[in-house]
Amino acid sequence: MPSWYRPDSLTRDLIHLINARRHDHGDADVAIDTLQAMLEQDREQDLLTVMAALGEDMAEWLFDLLAEAACSVVMESEADEKPAYAVMGALELPLHADLSVPLRLKIDPVATAELLHKHLHLPPGTVVMVEPRLLTDATLDLLTLHGLHEHISSLADSQRRHLLAFRLHPPVEATAFLIFELIGSPEPGLPESLEEQDRQALLDGLVAQCGELASAPHVLEAPVYAAYAMFDAQNAVRLHRLADETVAVWRDLEPAVRGRTIVHLHTQCGNGVYMPVWTDLFDPELPEDHGPAWTSPDVWVFTADLPIEWPGEMLTNRLLAEGCTRFENHIVEAPEN
């Protein structure tokens, strides 16, 4: 007799909300409740596995809901009161290239809260709480959606505030992230745009507090849920590690082999926002049935709002800096594409 597996109730709820979305009658509030229940059980990996199996439109829909579920909570109130929300957001900020060690990425949380309240045009009654340090991508790489959800849930319950991260790691890219919470906001979500004058004033105020920040207001965008910042940071770190590993292997080859080696970067396209990236090193003098001389392990990245060329551009720039000029990018299409 085969062993039948019956999904637990939360998995069944997840299946139902995906099927409801497919038939255009899904309820976003019910979906967020289900995703939050799974995050509370620390089942983030289950959700990412499901996301990887969905088509692009469905995966992006679930990706957006997952970010919102991880970083926003409806605060408890009396039955006749309007709902209030606790939301965790992030701003991506430019850094100077020559950072000091140890990192001096401290900011004034009170002054920064005033800046955010003014230039994000937040509604009255919203309390802004700011992480006292700018977090790097290498630091955010260590966080999880479960951790973000626990953090904002505890603040919504008026529990004592704890730091999101206790140690800053040197960034892999010239960016840092300002993490903040909006407590008691009468409106869900985050501002979707920044006016030019607000962008300039906001960055000027932050640069005055932290000399490690670069003054480049044109790169400052509207805040996003902190989950998006976490995924962006993890993408950067994972792709840099892939580049480090590939460059190290290429450098260790015999000079004659190194000179003729072709580097293939592969990106698996067509399976939604969860995409594997890997590299192969080929020696054209080896027979075709030999296969690659070396293959990296898969690196999984999230591709929501991420140009498909970005992984290739990052690795190509690293290889060019090392003196390698023979490389190709390969997009591996899924069968349905």
Side-chain angles (χ1 to χ4, degrees):
M1 289 289 294
S3 177
W4 295 101
Y5 166 70
R6 180 172 176 80
D8 63 275
S9 59
L10 271 182
T11 302
R12 293 199 298 273
D13 289 344
L14 181 62
I15 293 169
H16 290 325
L17 71 89
I18 290 172
N19 287 334
R21 170 68 179 184
R22 285 194 172 117
H23 293 91
D24 296 322
H25 58 81
D27 186 324
D29 291 336
V30 172
I32 286 177
D33 288 344
T34 299
L35 296 175
Q36 286 179 336
M38 295 192 76
L39 289 176
E40 288 166 2
Q41 294 184 10
D42 202 7
R43 295 176 60 181
E44 176 178 335
Q45 197 58 46
D46 292 347
L47 294 171
L48 301 185
T49 301
V50 170
M51 194 185 301
L54 296 175
E56 186 171 358
D57 291 341
M58 289 291 295
E60 289 189 1
W61 165 78
L62 186 59
F63 185 89
D64 290 337
L65 282 179
L66 188 56
E68 182 177 352
C71 297
S72 62
V73 179
V74 180
M75 301 176 68
E76 291 187 6
S77 60
E78 299 296 332
D80 57 346
E81 292 183 0
K82 291 184 178 180
Y85 302 87
V87 181
M88 182 158 49
L91 278 172
E92 185 173 349
L93 303 169
L95 289 173
H96 288 298
D98 52 344
L99 296 178
S100 58
V101 179
L103 298 173
R104 297 189 181 95
L105 299 181
K106 294 182 180 179
I107 54 173
D108 183 335
V110 175
T112 302
E114 292 175 355
L115 278 172
L116 292 173
H117 212 296
K118 179 179 180 180
H119 297 294
L120 296 183
H121 302 282
L122 300 174
T126 304
V127 175
V128 184
M129 303 175 70
V130 178
E131 286 290 316
R133 298 177 301 171
L134 302 176
L135 302 186
T136 66
D137 40 22
T139 304
L140 283 176
D141 179 47
L142 305 175
L143 298 183
T144 65
L145 292 176
H146 173 70
L148 295 181
H149 185 65
E150 275 196 330
H151 183 80
I152 193 65
S153 297
S154 67
L155 292 179
D157 292 339
S158 301
Q159 296 181 30
R160 182 180 177 184
R161 192 175 197 279
H162 295 285
L163 291 174
L164 264 178
F166 294 97
R167 180 185 173 192
L168 291 182
H169 298 270
V172 299
E173 293 198 309
T175 54
F177 296 86
L178 170 64
I179 306 293
F180 60 92
E181 298 89 16
L182 308 181
I183 306 298
S185 174
E187 299 176 2
L190 293 161
E192 296 182 354
S193 62
L194 272 176
E195 296 293 333
E196 183 63 36
Q197 61 269 26
D198 291 316
R199 183 184 292 113
Q200 181 73 56
L202 185 54
L203 191 55
D204 285 347
L206 293 170
V207 169
Q209 299 177 43
C210 178
E212 305 286 13
L213 286 172
S215 183
H218 63 282
V219 304
L220 190 63
E221 298 180 352
V224 296
Y225 289 117
Y228 284 106
M230 185 191 83
F231 283 126
D232 280 350
Q234 291 177 351
N235 282 348
V237 171
R238 290 165 184 170
L239 292 176
H240 271 270
R241 287 175 181 161
L242 175 65
D244 286 341
E245 187 176 39
T246 304
V247 167
V249 173
W250 179 84
R251 192 189 297 125
D252 286 342
L253 295 173
E254 292 291 332
V257 177
R258 185 193 312 159
R260 64 177 184 256
T261 294
I262 301 173
V263 181
H264 287 186
L265 173 75
H266 300 272
T267 54
Q268 176 71 57
C269 193
N271 64 333
V273 296
Y274 200 36
M275 178 183 78
V277 182
W278 71 97
T279 55
D280 294 331
L281 300 186
F282 278 93
D283 181 350
E285 291 197 1
L286 293 174
E288 288 188 6
D289 60 358
H290 181 278
W294 175 80
T295 299
S296 73
D298 287 356
V299 172
W300 290 83
V301 300
F302 288 82
T303 59
D305 302 320
L306 175 66
I308 196 69
E309 298 87 0
W310 189 54
E313 181 181 0
M314 180 178 295
L315 182 66
T316 297
N317 289 341
R318 292 292 306 280
L319 289 166
L320 284 171
E322 291 289 330
C324 175
T325 58
R326 297 168 62 84
F327 42 82
E328 300 173 359
N329 289 344
H330 296 265
I331 298 176
V332 183
E333 296 279 356
E336 61 270 23
N337 288 351

